[in-house]
Amino acid sequence: MDTRSMFIWNKQTSTVLFLFLLIKLGKPQDSYTPQELELLPLFRGMVKSGATQAYMIENKYLVRFLRAGDHNLHTAEKLIKENFKWRKDNDIDNFLTRDFSYYENRYPILYSYDRRGRPASSSAIGHINPRKLLLNGKHDELRDYFLYLYEKGVNFLHKVSNETGKEFIEIYLVADMAGYNVRTHACLPCITGWIEIALGYERHYPQLAYKIIVVNMSSRF
């Protein structure tokens, strides 16, 4: 598993490290290998009937599932068809119309560019109080908010690609952990929730992030 995360390392970082090890990061490239250029037309023909959005048959979307399947067409086909079914069953195409203002106002995520003009995002994840949310019965809302953020990330990538004419495949993520507290972020229900959130990324938004940069890690990790 490719885990090129960048950590500001301090003592006892096991909780965050464990969660990020669940996430398989993307390749360090916004281009395609000769093998991928050969496989992508075949892959498109195998899966295009299940796509619900035009961008889902574009190279920059398909290649992430192809890479997640280690360039095995049948493995990648299984992954993306399961994703298409999940999207239909959960009305994910309309997820961005849902009202997550409560979470966006308290735990915003910003989409912008790095110094080289590549798509990037930053989030104050340390400000989230998952323990409080879970104790108040907000498990599904918190999970869905992260799905909403993943979906926004995909749409941001396609928006930037269309506006610039460049093929951006991945996004750089900056996670600000200021405010992290073991009691509120690493309780047993919290860990279960984080694992579900990480697996949602891995199954339905694979290889979306190239690098996750974690800043302001406290020694309390």
Side-chain angles (χ1 to χ4, degrees), residues 10-178:
N10 286 294
K11 296 178 181 179
Q12 300 175 352
T13 57
S14 56
T15 300
V16 169
L17 178 59
F18 171 72
L19 292 173
F20 284 120
L21 283 175
L22 291 175
I23 296 177
K24 188 174 182 181
L25 301 180
K27 302 289 183 181
Q29 60 192 45
D30 279 314
S31 59
Y32 309 99
T33 67
Q35 180 191 20
E36 288 169 349
L37 290 174
E38 181 180 347
L39 291 175
L40 280 166
L42 299 174
F43 187 38
R44 182 179 299 105
M46 294 166 66
V47 304
K48 64 181 181 181
S49 62
T52 58
Q53 299 287 336
Y55 71 78
M56 293 179 184
I57 60 172
E58 294 178 0
N59 284 351
K60 55 183 174 289
Y61 186 84
L62 293 174
V63 75
R64 292 200 295 271
F65 286 88
L66 191 60
R67 291 172 180 174
D70 294 324
H71 297 93
N72 181 298
L73 283 174
H74 296 295
T75 302
E77 179 187 23
K78 181 176 185 292
L79 291 173
I80 201 168
K81 285 186 174 179
E82 288 176 350
N83 176 61
F84 288 160
K85 182 179 185 304
W86 170 79
R87 292 184 65 91
K88 291 177 182 177
D89 291 347
N90 294 278
D91 197 27
I92 301 299
D93 285 348
N94 294 311
F95 232 60
L96 295 184
T97 65
R98 290 181 55 177
D99 181 13
F100 286 99
S101 55
Y102 174 88
Y103 294 89
E104 288 191 293
N105 292 336
R106 291 164 175 79
Y107 321 119
I109 185 167
L110 303 177
Y111 295 93
S112 186
Y113 310 89
D114 68 9
R115 292 180 180 178
R116 295 174 60 183
R118 297 170 299 190
S121 70
S122 62
S123 63
I125 194 170
H127 292 175
I128 298 176
N129 188 332
R131 184 175 185 275
K132 179 180 178 181
L133 291 168
L134 293 172
L135 288 176
N136 288 326
K138 302 293 185 181
H139 171 276
D140 289 354
E141 284 188 7
L142 181 61
R143 176 204 61 209
D144 287 356
Y145 178 56
F146 274 85
L147 293 176
Y148 171 80
L149 295 180
Y150 299 154
E151 195 70 9
K152 286 188 74 172
V154 170
N155 278 264
F156 179 65
L157 273 180
H158 288 281
K159 176 178 179 291
V160 174
S161 295
N162 291 335
E163 289 178 350
T164 63
K166 298 179 180 179
E167 286 275 290
F168 289 111
I169 300 168
E170 304 134 350
I171 193 167
Y172 286 70
L173 304 180
V174 179
D176 185 353
M177 298 303 296

Side-chain angles (χ1 to χ4, degrees), residues 176-200:
D176 185 353
M177 298 303 296
Y180 172 89
N181 182 283
V182 172
R183 183 171 181 270
T184 58
H185 290 78
C187 61
L188 183 58
C190 302
I191 295 299
T192 302
W194 289 129
I195 291 173
E196 184 177 2
I197 287 167
L199 291 178

Side-chain angles (χ1 to χ4, degrees), residues 186-215:
C187 61
L188 183 58
C190 302
I191 295 299
T192 302
W194 289 129
I195 291 173
E196 184 177 2
I197 287 167
L199 291 178
Y201 166 93
E202 183 73 6
R203 291 167 180 162
H204 306 298
Y205 302 89
Q207 312 267 331
L208 178 60
Y210 158 55
K211 183 180 289 184
I212 300 174
I213 303 173
V214 181
V215 299

